[in-house]
Amino acid sequence: MLSKPARWWRAVAAVAAGGLPCLAFPAPALWWFAYVALVPWMLLLRSAPTGRRAALEGWLGGAGFILAVHHWLLPSLHVFLLPLAALLGLLWIPWALLVRESLGGDGAGGRAGAALALVPAAWLLSELARSWQGLGGPWGLLGASQWQVPPVLRLASVGGVWLVSLLVAAVNCAVVLLIVAPAARVPAVAGLTGCAVLTGVVWLWVPRPEVSGGLRVAVVQPGLVADGPDSADRRFTAGERLTRGLAGQHPDLVVWGESSVGADLTARPDLARRLAALSAEVGAPVLVNVDARRPPAAGTGNAGGAGGAAAAGGSGAPGIYKSAVLVGPEGPTGARYDKMRLVPFGEYIPARALLGWATSVGKAAGEDRVPGDSPVVMDLPGRPDVRLGPLVCFESAFPDMSRHLAREGAGLLIAQSATSSFQHSWAPAQHASLAALRAAETGRPMVHATLTGISSVYGPSGERLGSALPTSASTSALYEVPLARGTTLYVRFGDWPVGAALAVLAVYCAAAGVRSFRAGRPAPEPTAPRARTARG
């Protein structure tokens, strides 16, 4: 039984240990730290005197992780971030129990080898659960910390960010075994060697994207615009001025950031005309992002998808949409994508009748935006060999969305983003880094265009192209973007590491159930030899 001071000490240590992995993500970006960041937390969990205590410390550590990785949400959510972290922290309880069960003791027998499979699989289960949009989406996945490591990005092309998370968690598990279980040194070293060999084999033998042609893409970043009743017009004017400066540089496409246009183009034909004149002046279509209320007569159906350019559309319901709209010299081309996955609390409030009070303590959405119906792949005017796959804001965190666009023929992925509310935090760097992963997973270059930075462009292997536009910049930049052919293993086979992890956990649960059943059965009574009766 732990004393009261010991219980409090362990609780504080659990929160702190759970928050340590945040240092592996941008802005610190200590990517190498990810391979030992879970060790203090796992050492604490394996020493928990009871399963109940391990569950508590797993919950507290999970809440600490959410608070540390998402601390920049405090200006928007204020105190509401605490119950949100407490809710999401519950997802780490199964992992914590498995850490205590499999890493406790001396690691003798086959327990160490089993732990190297089970502990990473359970970690991935927690990541999978919180990747549901309603719980905030897949932000801060452990594998995402490796966005700037080329050999690990190659792993992402095989199994997505999920495979990278499994590898990083397995290395942490092996380090724990080396520290606490001398009897498990052989399987621990074998596990570390296996991770290194897997990475090396993938680096050497998995084909790289086959570069075929290129595209000149300009990114326009207007920079900070002071809030006010005319801020949308001033932002539009700044984007217009910066785009006009691209005349004579011969871009194939100009990309503006999220919410770069603050009025529906059917309701403001003057803005549509200005964009069309801008497109004609620079000699390239302009992909803008309209964040505005759409009148009911704006058409129905979010067309496009695999079939090509989208007709003016969306769900057809009146309300506020965020839409990527392609504008050419003749005006809007008809290609439009309405954002499908909205940011919880930022763009809608889940269960507003129950949680609507969040608007009184932070900057939560006063009105829910309307989600789009389906993904859209756009044809690029003047370049019949190139199709665009647009995403909006934190949709770049979802591996399945970029994979779908690649499968439907997108040759260039584009994320239009705005993190101006979190300008001086780690959020812009975290968000920009996600594009490197999506590029590596799909073998398609990706443009991350923002209003206020960080804007960046990545090649088909996840490598950064040119210089990123920092949060202090109000500028435009032209990038030579290599296009690629072929299909990565991740695009072809999808989230197979998730299926493998779930299968490992299912086998473990079945085996544990069988053991429990056998342990609960009463032992058979010994049968006495039959008495022999003498007859006389």
Side-chain angles (χ1 to χ4, degrees):
M1 178 68 69
L2 292 172
S3 65
K4 188 173 182 179
R7 290 198 298 269
W8 278 106
W9 176 88
R10 290 182 65 97
V12 173
V15 175
L20 282 178
C22 77
L23 298 176
F25 295 90
L30 305 177
W31 62 265
W32 51 268
F33 183 63
Y35 294 94
V36 293
L38 301 181
V39 170
W41 190 8
M42 293 167 73
L43 290 174
L44 186 71
L45 293 172
R46 72 173 295 275
S47 67
T50 64
R52 178 176 295 183
R53 187 71 203 183
L56 173 63
E57 291 168 1
W59 172 48
L60 291 174
F65 177 86
I66 295 298
L67 286 172
V69 174
H70 298 82
H71 69 274
W72 41 268
L73 285 172
L74 276 169
S76 294
L77 295 183
H78 293 292
V79 70
F80 195 76
L81 183 59
L82 296 177
L84 183 62
L87 171 65
L88 294 177
L90 296 171
L91 299 175
W92 274 271
I93 289 178
W95 176 76
L97 293 173
L98 198 50
V99 167
R100 179 180 180 272
E101 173 67 22
S102 60
L103 294 179
D106 59 3
R111 293 182 63 192
L116 288 170
L118 291 170
V119 171
W123 178 272
L124 197 67
L125 180 65
S126 68
E127 292 199 334
L128 179 66
R130 69 187 179 89
S131 294
W132 177 51
Q133 178 199 342
L135 292 179
W139 194 286
L141 301 183
L142 192 60
S145 65
Q146 305 302 296
W147 64 277
Q148 55 186 325
V149 185
V152 184
L153 286 175
R154 189 69 51 77
L155 279 176
S157 74
V158 174
V161 67
W162 313 111
L163 182 58
V164 181
S165 285
L166 280 175
L167 180 136
V168 175
V171 171
N172 277 270
C173 184
V175 172
V176 171
L177 287 171
L178 287 174
I179 293 173
V180 302
R185 284 176 181 168
V186 171
V189 171
L192 290 173
T193 303
C195 290
V197 169
L198 173 63
T199 305
V201 168
V202 169
W203 175 255
L204 292 174
W205 296 105
V206 170
R208 290 166 170 77
E210 181 183 353
V211 174
S212 176
L215 199 68
R216 294 170 61 84
V217 180
V219 174
V220 172
Q221 181 178 294
L224 281 174
V225 173
D227 290 336
D230 62 340
S231 58
D233 289 335
R234 286 185 284 114
R235 184 179 298 115
F236 185 97
T237 301
E240 193 176 31
R241 172 179 53 81
L242 292 169
T243 304
R244 190 170 288 116
L246 295 167
Q249 299 186 44
H250 308 293
D252 296 303
L253 175 68
V254 179
V255 183
W256 288 17
E258 179 186 10
S259 304
S260 48
V261 179
D264 184 77
L265 295 180
T266 59
R268 289 284 305 275
D270 59 313
L271 296 182
R273 287 192 296 269
R274 288 166 65 180
L275 287 170
L278 202 58
S279 172
E281 186 173 350
V282 300
V286 182
L287 185 70
V288 299
N289 188 272
V290 178
D291 183 1
R293 186 175 303 279
R294 185 179 305 167
T300 59
N302 200 0
S315 67
I320 302 175
Y321 290 78
K322 282 192 176 179
S323 306
V325 179
L326 192 62
V327 181
E330 304 300 322
T333 65
R336 183 178 71 203
Y337 164 67
D338 296 330
K339 184 179 183 182
M340 297 172 59
R341 295 182 182 173
L342 305 177
V343 179
F345 298 100
E347 294 170 337
Y348 80 103
I349 296 183
R352 182 176 285 272
L354 178 65
L355 301 177
W357 58 270
T359 59
S360 63
V361 297
K363 298 178 182 178
E367 177 183 348
D368 292 349
R369 282 173 167 77
V370 182
D373 296 329
S374 62
V376 170
V377 176
M378 302 177 177
D379 294 325
L380 180 60
R383 287 295 301 268
D385 59 322
V386 181
R387 306 181 74 202
L388 311 177
L391 299 167
V392 181
C393 191
F394 93 139
E395 289 182 330
S396 65
F398 291 87
D400 65 301
M401 296 195 73
S402 53
R403 175 175 176 256
H404 177 87
L405 291 171
R407 288 175 64 90
E408 297 298 333
L412 175 67
L413 302 175
I414 301 172
Q416 296 174 299
S417 172
T419 51
S420 52
S421 299
F422 315 105
Q423 189 74 354
H424 302 293
S425 72
W426 294 357
Q430 286 183 12
H431 201 174
S433 70
L434 296 174
L437 282 163
R438 303 292 87 84
E441 288 169 342
T442 59
R444 297 292 180 264
M446 187 161 187
V447 174
H448 179 80
T450 74
L451 289 181
T452 59
I454 297 171
S455 298
S456 52
V457 181
Y458 298 91
S461 293
E463 73 280 14
R464 175 174 282 167
L465 303 175
S467 300
L469 305 183
T471 54
S472 59
S474 174
T475 187
S476 62
L478 187 65
Y479 296 87
E480 299 285 348
V481 181
L483 301 176
R485 295 184 299 182
T487 302
T488 64
L489 293 176
Y490 175 69
V491 170
R492 186 176 302 169
F493 298 110
D495 301 328
W496 63 266
V498 173
L502 293 177
V504 167
L505 294 174
V507 170
Y508 169 77
C509 291
V514 170
R515 288 196 302 268
S516 178
F517 175 75
R518 288 178 175 174
R521 292 176 61 183
E525 296 183 3
T527 55
R530 295 177 62 184
R532 301 181 67 179
T533 304
R535 298 183 181 179

